[in-house]
Structure formats: structure tokens, C-alpha cells
Amino acid sequence: MTMRRKRSLYVCTIEKAHSLVNCLIEMNSLHSLGLVVVDELHMLGDGGSRGATLEMTLSKLKYLSGGTQIIGMSATLHNIADLCCFLSAELYTNSFRPVKLKEYVKVGDHLFEVNQGALSSEEKLSHIKMLSFPYKAEQKKMDPDQLMGLVTEVIPEHSCLVFCPTKKNCENVATNLCRLLPKEMRQVQLQARRALYTTLMHEGNGQVCPVLRYTIQYGVAYHHSGLTMDERKLIEEAYSAGTLCLLACTSTLAAGVNLPAKRVILRSPYIGNRLLTRSQYKQMVGRAGRAGLDTSGESILVTQAADREKIADIIGGSFENCTSSLLYEDGKGLQAFLLSTIGLKVITLTISAIHASS
């Protein structure tokens, strides 16, 4: 009688995948790993510990397990030939997108459409209209960028993501929008929102962040790393179910969390004090459009006239090259890689060589 071999599927973070690969190496079982799928392959070049960890993992697989198939996926890679060489990979590309994306840029009170096929920077933006929402004088002072007008064009019937440059700005945007939204918004999904608040109270041992306590009744919440895992899960589920119609979030939501929206608004062309990269921009606007629910998605990058020239490469330039992250913080990743391979007895070095590497 032939026994069926048990097969396992692991869905994990980059760090956990690295630990699993190390464990298999120690057990001399790396050959049992048949397939590794890497989503967001451009993370290799993030220039920090995550990129270095991913590079270590893939390097060990390539060196020690010739029978493991590796599939890397990304929508924002530039130097693809270099990556194909690194992974000894064949290239498959496809530009198909199930939902059409319309990209816009708001400069001051003017709305422009992004023409991806334009040959010159002057033709990249086509003026659509001047925005003029029916704001009262006090509302204009509270919301000079007219975010409330932009979001109420889609919510509560559809969903909206507002990407913000900092965690604090996420909370401020969520709070300010709720101060401006019509009171009738509190009657939408009333019971479901009350149930969400009750569950958050239970998970927080009777406490809920004052910002969420105020904004949830309007169908609005913030999403950033300051939330607990339980809070984040509840908010993501409520958004997917339509209980929440708007999330004010940081760029981390664009990297892996499947929470699409009818409209995506980039509150600023910056993350912290750094200008967005082309890759970061495309990851964010790529959340616009829900397959099976929308025929099209929209993105709006909010900026000021002073930054108009700076955003040219963001909306229409080339993607950044993906390079090794092992040398982050003066070679910290490379040192970790060497020590790891020595500890796993993958390679052996003399004591003098170890001192030289540090």
C-alpha cells in the first residue's frame, strides 16, 4: 500500500518565510519545498532589512535547492533583466487590468487627467475642470484641499481610500472629514457600525481610541501600524463588508492588503518628508477599482502648484531600479547573511575572515 504524502501550504511574511527556509536547511529537507511564490518582488530593493531578508531567502533557495520553483510577481519593476539573471528566471509580462484606471492630479483647485501615452511632460496633464464644491466659509477654512467634496462624490454608495503621509495625519484627516460630513451619514449602516464599535470595545477591554469612537459612526476609520492586530482585522473586515466606506491610511496598506476602492486619493505626494517614488505611487493608485463591482477606478493625487514639476516623474517616469539591499546600514544585511550561512553550515570561514567581514 502506498501512503499519500502530506503537502503543506504556508502563507507568510518575508521574515517568517526566511525562518522556514532556515529550518528546512537545518533538517536537510529543503528539497521538499516545491514552489515559492513571492508577491511584491520589488521589495528586494527596498533598501532595508525586509529587502535584505528576502534576498537572503531567495539566495539560499537558489544555491541549495535546484528543484524549488520560484515565481516572483510585481507590477512595479524596472530592471527586469537583472532580476531574471539573479533568479535564473524566464520573463512573463501582461498589461491586462480587469478594471480600467483613470488617474487624476489636483493642483490647487484645478483637476487634471493624467495622459499616460503623452510624449512630453507638457502633454502629460490635461485640464478637466476647476473644482468648486458648495462649501461654507468655515468649511473652506477647515478643508482648503476640498477633500470632503472629493470623497462625498463616491461615499457612502462606494468606497474610498485616502492615503496620508504620516500616521498622525491619518487620524487628523479621518476626524476632520467627519466634522464636515453631513449628519445623515450616521444613519447609513447604523446597526452594523454599532456592532463594530461594540466588538472594538470588547477587544480593547472596554476602551476604544477616541478618534475611532467618533469616526466609526460616519463610516470612517484610520488604518496604520498603530492599530493592534485585532483592531486592524476588524476594521479591514468592516471596510470589505461596506460597514465602513472610507479609510484614511498610510502607504503600508498599499503593500499587500487587498482593500480596493472606487476612488483612491493621495493626500500628498510625500511619505513623511520624502517625495513619493514612481513605484510607491503605482502601488497606491493600483488599489482603485474593484473587480466584479466597478467598471472603472479613479485615483486623485492632491498637490500644490509649488510641487507640480516634482510630480512629473511620479506620474509618468520610469520605475526605480531594484538593487541589492544587503548593504543597508553599512553592510548590516551582508553580515547577517554570512553569519546565517555559517551557522547553518552552508559555508565555512576562518576566524580571520569573519573578523574581516565585520
Side-chain angles (χ1 to χ4, degrees), residues 294-315:
D294 300 319
T295 56
S296 66
E298 304 168 346
S299 70
I300 302 175
L301 171 61
V302 178
T303 187
Q304 304 303 320
D307 288 327
R308 180 167 177 172
E309 291 186 5
K310 295 180 182 179
I311 66 170
D313 287 338
I314 296 176
I315 62 175

Side-chain angles (χ1 to χ4, degrees), residues 280-295:
Q280 290 168 332
Y281 168 77
K282 292 301 288 186
Q283 289 291 327
M284 293 181 193
V285 303
R287 297 301 172 191
R290 300 170 299 171
L293 296 175
D294 300 319
T295 56

Side-chain angles (χ1 to χ4, degrees), residues 78-286:
H78 181 56
N79 55 327
I80 300 175
D82 294 335
L83 290 167
C84 286
C85 181
F86 167 58
L87 295 172
S88 303
E90 296 181 10
L91 175 63
Y92 171 77
T93 60
N94 193 325
S95 59
F96 171 74
R97 196 179 196 276
V99 179
K100 183 180 179 181
L101 173 62
K102 297 178 180 178
E103 298 176 44
Y104 300 94
V105 174
K106 178 182 173 293
V107 183
D109 293 335
H110 297 270
L111 188 68
F112 298 84
E113 183 172 4
V114 178
N115 301 318
Q116 293 295 351
L119 298 177
S120 65
S121 57
E122 292 77 12
E123 300 173 339
K124 183 62 71 174
L125 297 179
S126 298
H127 189 266
I128 300 297
K129 62 181 178 180
M130 184 170 181
L131 298 173
S132 181
F133 296 108
Y135 275 27
K136 297 177 181 178
E138 185 178 350
Q139 290 176 320
K140 286 183 179 180
K141 186 176 181 180
M142 291 178 62
D143 185 24
D145 289 330
Q146 304 182 76
L147 280 182
M148 193 268 288
L150 294 174
V151 302
T152 51
E153 287 183 331
V154 291
I155 67 168
E157 292 81 7
H158 301 283
S159 55
C160 182
L161 295 175
V162 181
F163 284 102
C164 304
T166 66
K167 291 189 288 186
K168 186 61 178 177
N169 192 239
C170 289
E171 299 176 27
N172 291 340
V173 166
T175 301
N176 290 337
L177 282 175
C178 290
R179 289 172 178 164
L180 294 166
L181 288 171
K183 303 300 182 185
E184 294 77 15
M185 285 283 292
R186 295 184 297 187
Q187 302 305 312
V188 179
Q189 296 276 352
L190 180 61
Q191 296 305 319
R193 291 172 184 174
R194 285 177 175 173
L196 171 62
Y197 177 74
T198 300
T199 307
L200 284 169
M201 282 280 288
H202 176 72
E203 293 294 341
N205 295 320
Q207 294 185 338
V208 177
C209 166
V211 174
L212 291 177
R213 183 166 59 240
Y214 175 61
T215 62
I216 282 175
Q217 61 185 324
Y218 288 90
V220 176
Y222 65 82
H223 185 290
H224 60 55
S225 60
L227 295 170
T228 66
M229 290 299 294
D230 290 332
E231 289 173 335
R232 194 178 310 181
K233 184 173 182 289
L234 287 169
I235 287 172
E236 289 172 2
E237 290 175 346
Y239 177 82
S240 297
T243 303
L244 299 175
C245 56
L246 186 147
L247 294 182
C249 49
T250 53
S251 59
T252 52
L253 187 141
V257 183
N258 186 26
L259 295 176
K262 172 67 175 178
R263 175 174 287 180
V264 169
I265 300 173
L266 281 67
R267 178 71 181 79
S268 165
Y270 293 89
I271 294 179
N273 59 1
R274 292 180 293 106
L275 196 67
L276 284 173
T277 65
R278 169 77 169 156
S279 178
Q280 290 168 332
Y281 168 77
K282 292 301 288 186
Q283 289 291 327
M284 293 181 193
V285 303

